[in-house]
Amino acid sequence: MNDGTETAHTRGSERNELITADTNNDGKADLWVVDTDGDGKADLFQFDHDGDGEVDLTIVDRTQDGNPDEVIKGDGGLPPNG
Ligand SMILES: [Ca+2]
Ligand SMILES: [Ca+2]
Ligand SMILES: [Ca+2]
């Protein structure tokens, strides 16, 4: 059911989840802040808007300046850890 066919172009291939949050308190994470190149700074942000555990929106901040460089529907080929 992933109609987001685009692949996110991240800084690296790691997935260091700096922050995971359950913003709607249903026991499942719906916000992920990720560092993909191991420098400890967030460069990937993912959101699950409908609470089904699947990412609905992926934002890549390749320059790590706080401004989105790429916005992708779906998980961009980068599903969250378990
Ligand atoms: Ca949740
Ligand atoms: Ca980083
Ligand atoms: Ca979802």
Side-chain angles (χ1 to χ4, degrees):
M1 269 291 285
N2 182 8
D3 60 356
T5 52
E6 259 184 282
T7 302
H9 297 99
T10 51
R11 290 170 62 89
S13 56
E14 299 178 26
R15 186 179 180 92
N16 304 309
E17 295 186 345
L18 303 176
I19 300 170
T20 60
D22 175 16
T23 60
N24 64 357
N25 290 314
D26 68 351
K28 292 186 289 191
D30 38 59
L31 168 65
W32 297 264
V33 178
V34 183
D35 168 33
T36 67
D37 62 344
D39 69 354
K41 295 180 191 168
D43 47 75
L44 174 67
F45 303 83
Q46 295 184 297
F47 304 88
D48 172 16
H49 294 309
D50 54 12
D52 65 355
E54 305 277 323
V55 174
D56 301 302
L57 189 69
T58 294
I59 295 174
V60 181
D61 179 9
R62 267 193 298 277
T63 51
Q64 299 183 153
D65 62 356
N67 295 320
D69 299 299
E70 196 171 3
V71 180
I72 297 171
K73 191 178 173 188
D75 66 10
L78 301 167
N81 296 333

